[in-house]
Amino acid sequence: MVEVGKHAEPPPLNVSHLSEGRIVLTGGRRISGTHELRQEIAFVNGGNLWENEDLYFKLIDLNSSGVPFQYQPKEMKSPDILMAWWQEIGKLKVSFKEISWRNPHEWLIKTIEPPVIGTHNWVGPKP
């Protein structure tokens, strides 16, 4: 399923990135170079992000609330990549929403389903 924002419609509040022990959420219109909606949620920062239980539970809570995660293919420690990794290893068994932009004025949200054994040569959770 894909939800497409209308041209120039501000994006909903979404998980933007991680920064020094904080989950950064942004959304809404841009005002003076920043979004009108900005929140930060602290998490216990230590060790590998993909093994951080506090971060995991906070991201899962945001996911349960329907908050989308920004698509960031070049940032291997981005929240959307963490969610996909947790799906891959079988820790996250539900879908999540990912927000990306067609251009600076048009966003879209798609649902990322957990992988299914046999689809795209996926053989099951990795240890």
Side-chain angles (χ1 to χ4, degrees), residues 68-90:
F69 295 76
Q70 280 188 24
Y71 175 65
Q72 297 184 22
K74 295 181 181 179
E75 179 56 52
M76 292 309 295
K77 295 180 182 175
S78 66
D80 69 310
I81 297 292
L82 289 171
M83 295 295 280
W85 170 250
W86 289 325
Q87 282 182 329
E88 175 78 16
I89 64 170

PDB file of all heavy atoms in Angstrom, residues 68-90:
ATOM      1  N   PRO A  68       5.742   7.050  10.453  1.00  0.00           N
ATOM      2  CA  PRO A  68       6.618   6.493   9.420  1.00  0.00           C
ATOM      3  C   PRO A  68       8.092   6.823   9.679  1.00  0.00           C
ATOM      4  O   PRO A  68       8.418   7.760  10.408  1.00  0.00           O
ATOM      5  CB  PRO A  68       6.129   7.169   8.137  1.00  0.00           C
ATOM      6  CG  PRO A  68       5.480   8.434   8.578  1.00  0.00           C
ATOM      7  CD  PRO A  68       4.962   8.185   9.974  1.00  0.00           C
ATOM      8  N   PHE A  69       8.963   6.034   9.048  1.00  0.00           N
ATOM      9  CA  PHE A  69      10.413   6.177   9.175  1.00  0.00           C
ATOM     10  C   PHE A  69      10.969   6.684   7.852  1.00  0.00           C
ATOM     11  O   PHE A  69      10.660   6.125   6.798  1.00  0.00           O
ATOM     12  CB  PHE A  69      11.045   4.816   9.515  1.00  0.00           C
ATOM     13  CG  PHE A  69      10.626   4.295  10.862  1.00  0.00           C
ATOM     14  CD1 PHE A  69       9.367   3.743  11.060  1.00  0.00           C
ATOM     15  CD2 PHE A  69      11.481   4.373  11.946  1.00  0.00           C
ATOM     16  CE1 PHE A  69       8.964   3.277  12.296  1.00  0.00           C
ATOM     17  CE2 PHE A  69      11.093   3.909  13.194  1.00  0.00           C
ATOM     18  CZ  PHE A  69       9.830   3.360  13.372  1.00  0.00           C
ATOM     19  N   GLN A  70      11.813   7.723   7.891  1.00  0.00           N
ATOM     20  CA  GLN A  70      12.379   8.265   6.659  1.00  0.00           C
ATOM     21  C   GLN A  70      13.277   7.257   5.970  1.00  0.00           C
ATOM     22  O   GLN A  70      14.104   6.599   6.608  1.00  0.00           O
ATOM     23  CB  GLN A  70      13.194   9.529   6.932  1.00  0.00           C
ATOM     24  CG  GLN A  70      12.364  10.756   7.084  1.00  0.00           C
ATOM     25  CD  GLN A  70      13.213  12.020   7.148  1.00  0.00           C
ATOM     26  OE1 GLN A  70      14.335  12.065   6.664  1.00  0.00           O
ATOM     27  NE2 GLN A  70      12.664  13.044   7.753  1.00  0.00           N
ATOM     28  N   TYR A  71      13.138   7.166   4.663  1.00  0.00           N
ATOM     29  CA  TYR A  71      13.979   6.310   3.821  1.00  0.00           C
ATOM     30  C   TYR A  71      15.340   6.978   3.694  1.00  0.00           C
ATOM     31  O   TYR A  71      15.454   8.100   3.220  1.00  0.00           O
ATOM     32  CB  TYR A  71      13.319   6.151   2.454  1.00  0.00           C
ATOM     33  CG  TYR A  71      14.133   5.385   1.461  1.00  0.00           C
ATOM     34  CD1 TYR A  71      14.430   4.044   1.662  1.00  0.00           C
ATOM     35  CD2 TYR A  71      14.593   5.985   0.298  1.00  0.00           C
ATOM     36  CE1 TYR A  71      15.164   3.318   0.735  1.00  0.00           C
ATOM     37  CE2 TYR A  71      15.322   5.275  -0.642  1.00  0.00           C
ATOM     38  CZ  TYR A  71      15.606   3.945  -0.415  1.00  0.00           C
ATOM     39  OH  TYR A  71      16.329   3.236  -1.328  1.00  0.00           O
ATOM     40  N   GLN A  72      16.390   6.282   4.152  1.00  0.00           N
ATOM     41  CA  GLN A  72      17.754   6.811   4.099  1.00  0.00           C
ATOM     42  C   GLN A  72      18.702   5.693   3.664  1.00  0.00           C
ATOM     43  O   GLN A  72      19.383   5.095   4.498  1.00  0.00           O
ATOM     44  CB  GLN A  72      18.160   7.359   5.458  1.00  0.00           C
ATOM     45  CG  GLN A  72      17.310   8.527   5.908  1.00  0.00           C
ATOM     46  CD  GLN A  72      17.801   9.107   7.216  1.00  0.00           C
ATOM     47  OE1 GLN A  72      18.945   8.949   7.610  1.00  0.00           O
ATOM     48  NE2 GLN A  72      16.931   9.800   7.899  1.00  0.00           N
ATOM     49  N   PRO A  73      18.761   5.400   2.361  1.00  0.00           N
ATOM     50  CA  PRO A  73      19.529   4.252   1.888  1.00  0.00           C
ATOM     51  C   PRO A  73      21.037   4.348   2.083  1.00  0.00           C
ATOM     52  O   PRO A  73      21.720   3.337   2.084  1.00  0.00           O
ATOM     53  CB  PRO A  73      19.177   4.188   0.401  1.00  0.00           C
ATOM     54  CG  PRO A  73      18.850   5.605   0.045  1.00  0.00           C
ATOM     55  CD  PRO A  73      18.170   6.166   1.267  1.00  0.00           C
ATOM     56  N   LYS A  74      21.567   5.538   2.278  1.00  0.00           N
ATOM     57  CA  LYS A  74      23.017   5.691   2.415  1.00  0.00           C
ATOM     58  C   LYS A  74      23.481   5.690   3.867  1.00  0.00           C
ATOM     59  O   LYS A  74      24.674   5.694   4.129  1.00  0.00           O
ATOM     60  CB  LYS A  74      23.473   6.983   1.726  1.00  0.00           C
ATOM     61  CG  LYS A  74      23.255   6.935   0.230  1.00  0.00           C
ATOM     62  CD  LYS A  74      23.718   8.189  -0.431  1.00  0.00           C
ATOM     63  CE  LYS A  74      23.451   8.096  -1.920  1.00  0.00           C
ATOM     64  NZ  LYS A  74      23.858   9.303  -2.612  1.00  0.00           N
ATOM     65  N   GLU A  75      22.543   5.684   4.805  1.00  0.00           N
ATOM     66  CA  GLU A  75      22.895   5.723   6.229  1.00  0.00           C
ATOM     67  C   GLU A  75      22.588   4.367   6.840  1.00  0.00           C
ATOM     68  O   GLU A  75      21.455   4.060   7.168  1.00  0.00           O
ATOM     69  CB  GLU A  75      22.097   6.830   6.929  1.00  0.00           C
ATOM     70  CG  GLU A  75      22.354   6.952   8.403  1.00  0.00           C
ATOM     71  CD  GLU A  75      23.807   7.149   8.752  1.00  0.00           C
ATOM     72  OE1 GLU A  75      24.442   8.054   8.200  1.00  0.00           O
ATOM     73  OE2 GLU A  75      24.318   6.373   9.590  1.00  0.00           O
ATOM     74  N   MET A  76      23.611   3.542   7.007  1.00  0.00           N
ATOM     75  CA  MET A  76      23.411   2.169   7.456  1.00  0.00           C
ATOM     76  C   MET A  76      22.905   2.053   8.899  1.00  0.00           C
ATOM     77  O   MET A  76      22.445   1.002   9.308  1.00  0.00           O
ATOM     78  CB  MET A  76      24.699   1.358   7.294  1.00  0.00           C
ATOM     79  CG  MET A  76      25.079   1.138   5.838  1.00  0.00           C
ATOM     80  SD  MET A  76      23.744   0.473   4.817  1.00  0.00           S
ATOM     81  CE  MET A  76      23.504  -1.122   5.540  1.00  0.00           C
ATOM     82  N   LYS A  77      22.975   3.115   9.667  1.00  0.00           N
ATOM     83  CA  LYS A  77      22.470   3.080  11.039  1.00  0.00           C
ATOM     84  C   LYS A  77      21.206   3.921  11.181  1.00  0.00           C
ATOM     85  O   LYS A  77      20.868   4.361  12.267  1.00  0.00           O
ATOM     86  CB  LYS A  77      23.551   3.569  12.008  1.00  0.00           C
ATOM     87  CG  LYS A  77      24.749   2.641  12.053  1.00  0.00           C
ATOM     88  CD  LYS A  77      25.794   3.152  13.015  1.00  0.00           C
ATOM     89  CE  LYS A  77      27.012   2.237  13.026  1.00  0.00           C
ATOM     90  NZ  LYS A  77      28.084   2.767  13.849  1.00  0.00           N
ATOM     91  N   SER A  78      20.495   4.127  10.083  1.00  0.00           N
ATOM     92  CA  SER A  78      19.262   4.914  10.133  1.00  0.00           C
ATOM     93  C   SER A  78      18.126   4.072  10.710  1.00  0.00           C
ATOM     94  O   SER A  78      18.149   2.843  10.646  1.00  0.00           O
ATOM     95  CB  SER A  78      18.901   5.423   8.742  1.00  0.00           C
ATOM     96  OG  SER A  78      18.575   4.339   7.894  1.00  0.00           O
ATOM     97  N   PRO A  79      17.115   4.715  11.276  1.00  0.00           N
ATOM     98  CA  PRO A  79      16.005   3.967  11.865  1.00  0.00           C
ATOM     99  C   PRO A  79      15.297   3.042  10.875  1.00  0.00           C
ATOM    100  O   PRO A  79      14.901   1.933  11.249  1.00  0.00           O
ATOM    101  CB  PRO A  79      15.070   5.061  12.374  1.00  0.00           C
ATOM    102  CG  PRO A  79      15.984   6.211  12.664  1.00  0.00           C
ATOM    103  CD  PRO A  79      17.012   6.147  11.569  1.00  0.00           C
ATOM    104  N   ASP A  80      15.131   3.452   9.615  1.00  0.00           N
ATOM    105  CA  ASP A  80      14.449   2.572   8.656  1.00  0.00           C
ATOM    106  C   ASP A  80      15.275   1.324   8.360  1.00  0.00           C
ATOM    107  O   ASP A  80      14.736   0.224   8.232  1.00  0.00           O
ATOM    108  CB  ASP A  80      14.097   3.315   7.357  1.00  0.00           C
ATOM    109  CG  ASP A  80      15.309   3.684   6.522  1.00  0.00           C
ATOM    110  OD1 ASP A  80      16.269   4.269   7.071  1.00  0.00           O
ATOM    111  OD2 ASP A  80      15.300   3.393   5.309  1.00  0.00           O
ATOM    112  N   ILE A  81      16.586   1.451   8.322  1.00  0.00           N
ATOM    113  CA  ILE A  81      17.457   0.294   8.097  1.00  0.00           C
ATOM    114  C   ILE A  81      17.421  -0.626   9.317  1.00  0.00           C
ATOM    115  O   ILE A  81      17.397  -1.850   9.184  1.00  0.00           O
ATOM    116  CB  ILE A  81      18.911   0.736   7.793  1.00  0.00           C
ATOM    117  CG1 ILE A  81      18.971   1.554   6.503  1.00  0.00           C
ATOM    118  CG2 ILE A  81      19.847  -0.456   7.743  1.00  0.00           C
ATOM    119  CD1 ILE A  81      18.686   0.796   5.230  1.00  0.00           C
ATOM    120  N   LEU A  82      17.394  -0.042  10.520  1.00  0.00           N
ATOM    121  CA  LEU A  82      17.283  -0.858  11.736  1.00  0.00           C
ATOM    122  C   LEU A  82      15.978  -1.654  11.736  1.00  0.00           C
ATOM    123  O   LEU A  82      15.978  -2.844  12.048  1.00  0.00           O
ATOM    124  CB  LEU A  82      17.362   0.018  12.985  1.00  0.00           C
ATOM    125  CG  LEU A  82      18.732   0.613  13.309  1.00  0.00           C
ATOM    126  CD1 LEU A  82      18.612   1.628  14.434  1.00  0.00           C
ATOM    127  CD2 LEU A  82      19.722  -0.465  13.651  1.00  0.00           C
ATOM    128  N   MET A  83      14.887  -1.007  11.360  1.00  0.00           N
ATOM    129  CA  MET A  83      13.597  -1.703  11.324  1.00  0.00           C
ATOM    130  C   MET A  83      13.650  -2.855  10.317  1.00  0.00           C
ATOM    131  O   MET A  83      13.196  -3.960  10.611  1.00  0.00           O
ATOM    132  CB  MET A  83      12.470  -0.727  10.970  1.00  0.00           C
ATOM    133  CG  MET A  83      12.240   0.357  12.013  1.00  0.00           C
ATOM    134  SD  MET A  83      11.653  -0.245  13.599  1.00  0.00           S
ATOM    135  CE  MET A  83       9.921  -0.466  13.228  1.00  0.00           C
ATOM    136  N   ALA A  84      14.210  -2.611   9.144  1.00  0.00           N
ATOM    137  CA  ALA A  84      14.317  -3.658   8.125  1.00  0.00           C
ATOM    138  C   ALA A  84      15.223  -4.799   8.614  1.00  0.00           C
ATOM    139  O   ALA A  84      14.932  -5.972   8.377  1.00  0.00           O
ATOM    140  CB  ALA A  84      14.846  -3.071   6.821  1.00  0.00           C
ATOM    141  N   TRP A  85      16.307  -4.455   9.313  1.00  0.00           N
ATOM    142  CA  TRP A  85      17.213  -5.483   9.841  1.00  0.00           C
ATOM    143  C   TRP A  85      16.489  -6.355  10.862  1.00  0.00           C
ATOM    144  O   TRP A  85      16.596  -7.575  10.845  1.00  0.00           O
ATOM    145  CB  TRP A  85      18.453  -4.839  10.455  1.00  0.00           C
ATOM    146  CG  TRP A  85      19.312  -5.810  11.212  1.00  0.00           C
ATOM    147  CD1 TRP A  85      19.498  -5.866  12.555  1.00  0.00           C
ATOM    148  CD2 TRP A  85      20.068  -6.894  10.669  1.00  0.00           C
ATOM    149  NE1 TRP A  85      20.319  -6.905  12.887  1.00  0.00           N
ATOM    150  CE2 TRP A  85      20.685  -7.561  11.743  1.00  0.00           C
ATOM    151  CE3 TRP A  85      20.283  -7.369   9.382  1.00  0.00           C
ATOM    152  CZ2 TRP A  85      21.498  -8.665  11.577  1.00  0.00           C
ATOM    153  CZ3 TRP A  85      21.098  -8.481   9.214  1.00  0.00           C
ATOM    154  CH2 TRP A  85      21.698  -9.115  10.296  1.00  0.00           C
ATOM    155  N   TRP A  86      15.743  -5.695  11.766  1.00  0.00           N
ATOM    156  CA  TRP A  86      15.014  -6.462  12.775  1.00  0.00           C
ATOM    157  C   TRP A  86      13.964  -7.372  12.129  1.00  0.00           C
ATOM    158  O   TRP A  86      13.700  -8.456  12.618  1.00  0.00           O
ATOM    159  CB  TRP A  86      14.412  -5.532  13.816  1.00  0.00           C
ATOM    160  CG  TRP A  86      15.464  -4.915  14.706  1.00  0.00           C
ATOM    161  CD1 TRP A  86      16.622  -5.493  15.141  1.00  0.00           C
ATOM    162  CD2 TRP A  86      15.461  -3.610  15.268  1.00  0.00           C
ATOM    163  NE1 TRP A  86      17.335  -4.625  15.939  1.00  0.00           N
ATOM    164  CE2 TRP A  86      16.649  -3.460  16.036  1.00  0.00           C
ATOM    165  CE3 TRP A  86      14.578  -2.539  15.197  1.00  0.00           C
ATOM    166  CZ2 TRP A  86      16.954  -2.295  16.722  1.00  0.00           C
ATOM    167  CZ3 TRP A  86      14.882  -1.383  15.881  1.00  0.00           C
ATOM    168  CH2 TRP A  86      16.065  -1.266  16.643  1.00  0.00           C
ATOM    169  N   GLN A  87      13.390  -6.921  11.008  1.00  0.00           N
ATOM    170  CA  GLN A  87      12.489  -7.807  10.257  1.00  0.00           C
ATOM    171  C   GLN A  87      13.276  -8.990   9.697  1.00  0.00           C
ATOM    172  O   GLN A  87      12.852 -10.133   9.792  1.00  0.00           O
ATOM    173  CB  GLN A  87      11.819  -7.071   9.093  1.00  0.00           C
ATOM    174  CG  GLN A  87      10.675  -6.187   9.474  1.00  0.00           C
ATOM    175  CD  GLN A  87      10.046  -5.541   8.266  1.00  0.00           C
ATOM    176  OE1 GLN A  87      10.700  -5.263   7.258  1.00  0.00           O
ATOM    177  NE2 GLN A  87       8.750  -5.260   8.357  1.00  0.00           N
ATOM    178  N   GLU A  88      14.430  -8.703   9.120  1.00  0.00           N
ATOM    179  CA  GLU A  88      15.266  -9.725   8.474  1.00  0.00           C
ATOM    180  C   GLU A  88      15.675 -10.828   9.453  1.00  0.00           C
ATOM    181  O   GLU A  88      15.700 -12.002   9.095  1.00  0.00           O
ATOM    182  CB  GLU A  88      16.513  -9.062   7.874  1.00  0.00           C
ATOM    183  CG  GLU A  88      17.524 -10.008   7.292  1.00  0.00           C
ATOM    184  CD  GLU A  88      17.163 -10.551   5.915  1.00  0.00           C
ATOM    185  OE1 GLU A  88      16.279  -9.985   5.264  1.00  0.00           O
ATOM    186  OE2 GLU A  88      17.783 -11.549   5.513  1.00  0.00           O
ATOM    187  N   ILE A  89      15.995 -10.450  10.675  1.00  0.00           N
ATOM    188  CA  ILE A  89      16.446 -11.464  11.638  1.00  0.00           C
ATOM    189  C   ILE A  89      15.287 -12.076  12.425  1.00  0.00           C
ATOM    190  O   ILE A  89      15.502 -12.914  13.292  1.00  0.00           O
ATOM    191  CB  ILE A  89      17.519 -10.907  12.607  1.00  0.00           C
ATOM    192  CG1 ILE A  89      16.961  -9.793  13.492  1.00  0.00           C
ATOM    193  CG2 ILE A  89      18.756 -10.447  11.830  1.00  0.00           C
ATOM    194  CD1 ILE A  89      17.882  -9.360  14.618  1.00  0.00           C
ATOM    195  N   GLY A  90      14.064 -11.638  12.128  1.00  0.00           N
ATOM    196  CA  GLY A  90      12.900 -12.218  12.780  1.00  0.00           C
ATOM    197  C   GLY A  90      12.516 -11.591  14.106  1.00  0.00           C
ATOM    198  O   GLY A  90      11.588 -12.057  14.768  1.00  0.00           O
TER     199      GLY A  90
END
